[in-house]
């Protein structure tokens, strides 16, 4: 909990600086109606929102939803500071609600609680700071992952070593650590290259409510092919991780690097207006640990 409160304090300090800068800007400018906001002011504060429809939900090589998903999002940007919200909502009840019942072949349990299915859902909140430079953009920040519907498994051991297992609802206000909470927090570093060198590098470190403190790394590069963007990427988890499902295979605990996210994205953006566009993409992902290949289609409506 100590690390959690220190991170909350850091976020509070950033928010205070944000409010201080905002108040100084308001004092320096004359009060005007929103319709008269200048172009310079628009560049200081931006809002973006939209939604996507995908044939299924793939995240860092993990096939999290086997059914089509609806993905609304919104971004708020101010002088490099970015606050964004992403939702992922399945369109059919295709996932097991119970955390111990993901594979029918590994359990004889027929209890109705285990068999209950839900539509996949996830809410992602990002707080980033983007640093622009001549060689690209550096992004640092934190991400909160919250699954509103799946049960949380709590395991307690007494002095005799006997385990007591219970299952709790994923209440939003549950901010417990050590795998008992509803939220998992990740520290993120990302480098995005310039237009002349469109390379990206990503590191994600789960620092709260992940007992493995999972680390994920990814690298990718984008080419322009006949007015399309073609991106190749390779990513994976560093050492064993329940979060990334890189655990035990054939009785052997996984160690080292697991290449779980390898493939390409082919996309094209269609601009309808200066403020409105649509993005069409196909994605092919190979997860070498799960020995699985997934191909999906996604379309996104973007409002700027």
């Amino acid at each position: 909990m100590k690390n959690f409160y220190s991170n909350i304090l850091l976020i509070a300090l950033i928010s205070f600086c944000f409010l201080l800068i905002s108040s100084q800007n308001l004092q320096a400018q004359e009060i005007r109606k929103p319709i008269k906001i200048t172009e310079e002011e628009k560049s200081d504060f931006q809002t973006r929102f939209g939604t996507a429809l995908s044939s299924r939900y793939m995240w860092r090589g993990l096939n999290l939803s086997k059914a089509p998903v609806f993905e609304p999002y919104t971004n708020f940007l101010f002088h490099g500071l970015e606050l964004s919200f992403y939702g992922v909502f399945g369109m059919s009840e295709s996932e097991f609600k119970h955390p111990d019942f993901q594979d029918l072949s590994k359990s004889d349990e027929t209890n109705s609680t285990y068999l209950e299915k839900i539509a996949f859902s996830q809410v992602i909140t990002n707080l980033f700071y983007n640093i622009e430079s001549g060689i690209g953009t550096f992004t640092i920040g934190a991400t909160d992952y919250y699954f509103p519907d799946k049960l949380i498994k709590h395991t307690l051991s007494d002095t005799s070593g006997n385990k007591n297992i219970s299952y709790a609802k994923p209440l939003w206000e549950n901010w417990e650590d050590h795998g008992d909470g509803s939220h998992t927090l990740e520290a993120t570093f990302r480098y995005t290259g310039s237009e002349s060198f469109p390379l990206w590098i990503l590191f994600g470190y789960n620092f709260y409510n992940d007992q493995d403190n999972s680390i994920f790394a990814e690298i990718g590069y984008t080419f322009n092919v006949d007015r399309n963007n073609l991106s190749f990427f390779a990513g994976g988890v560093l050492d064993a991780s329940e979060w990334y499902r890189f655990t035990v295979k054939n009785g052997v605990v996984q160690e080292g690097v697991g290449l779980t996210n390898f493939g390409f994205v082919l996309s094209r953006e269609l601009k309808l207006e200066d403020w409105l566009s649509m993005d069409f993409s196909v994605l092919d992902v190979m997860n070498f640990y799960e020995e699985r290949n997934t191909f999906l289609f996604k379309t996104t409506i973007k409002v700027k």
Side-chain angles (χ1 to χ4, degrees), residues 93-99 101-102 110-119 149-151:
E93 295 180 346
S94 60
E95 311 298 322
F96 287 106
K97 183 176 183 178
H98 202 284
F101 204 72
Q102 301 300 320
T110 57
N111 187 296
S112 60
T113 303
Y114 281 72
L115 295 174
E116 183 179 356
K117 286 191 174 184
I118 56 174
D149 297 315
K150 276 200 171 181
L151 296 174

Side-chain angles (χ1 to χ4, degrees), residues 177-180 208-214:
D177 196 358
H178 309 298
D180 295 330
Y208 189 79
N209 198 35
D210 177 3
Q211 298 189 59
D212 297 317
N213 291 127
S214 307

Side-chain angles (χ1 to χ4, degrees), residues 61-63 244-245 249 259-260 287-292:
L62 300 181
N63 187 22
Y244 288 98
R245 304 176 183 176
K249 191 172 186 178
L259 186 58
T260 57
N287 186 319
F288 286 95
Y289 170 68
E290 295 184 349
E291 300 178 3
R292 178 188 181 91

Side-chain angles (χ1 to χ4, degrees), residues 68-252:
V69 293
F70 180 63
E71 303 176 50
Y73 73 89
T74 184
N75 291 15
F76 302 95
L77 301 101
F78 180 80
H79 287 298
L81 190 65
E82 176 183 347
L83 176 64
S84 59
F85 302 92
Y86 288 84
V88 184
F89 303 99
M91 301 180 69
S92 68
E93 295 180 346
S94 60
E95 311 298 322
F96 287 106
K97 183 176 183 178
H98 202 284
D100 283 343
F101 204 72
Q102 301 300 320
D103 190 343
L104 286 169
S105 65
K106 294 182 179 180
S107 176
D108 296 326
E109 180 63 63
T110 57
N111 187 296
S112 60
T113 303
Y114 281 72
L115 295 174
E116 183 179 356
K117 286 191 174 184
I118 56 174
F120 178 85
S121 62
Q122 181 184 34
V123 178
I124 302 174
T125 304
N126 298 310
L127 180 61
F128 294 148
Y129 187 72
N130 301 299
I131 304 170
E132 303 284 347
S133 71
I135 60 173
T137 302
F138 296 88
T139 301
I140 55 174
T143 298
D144 168 40
Y145 298 98
Y146 172 54
F147 298 87
D149 297 315
K150 276 200 171 181
L151 296 174
I152 302 172
K153 182 179 180 179
H154 289 176
T155 303
L156 296 176
S157 298
D158 58 23
T159 55
S160 301
N162 298 316
K163 292 184 177 180
N164 180 28
I165 299 176
S166 61
Y167 301 91
K169 293 182 179 180
L171 301 177
W172 188 89
E173 60 267 26
N174 178 6
W175 287 87
E176 293 184 42
D177 196 358
H178 309 298
D180 295 330
S182 301
H183 301 261
T184 299
L185 302 183
E186 175 191 69
T188 303
F189 169 82
R190 181 183 177 102
Y191 165 75
T192 306
S194 60
E195 291 186 3
S196 60
F197 186 61
L199 174 82
W200 82 81
I201 300 173
L202 168 69
F203 289 97
Y205 170 66
N206 288 354
F207 65 90
Y208 189 79
N209 198 35
D210 177 3
Q211 298 189 59
D212 297 317
N213 291 127
S214 307
I215 301 175
F216 181 85
E218 182 179 276
I219 186 170
Y221 193 89
T222 302
F223 300 89
N224 185 269
V225 180
D226 190 25
R227 294 183 296 173
N228 300 300
N229 289 322
L230 177 61
S231 301
F232 291 94
F233 56 85
V237 59
L238 309 184
D239 223 340
S241 167
E242 287 279 355
W243 179 258
Y244 288 98
R245 304 176 183 176
F246 183 66
T247 52
V248 178
K249 191 172 186 178
N250 299 325
V252 179

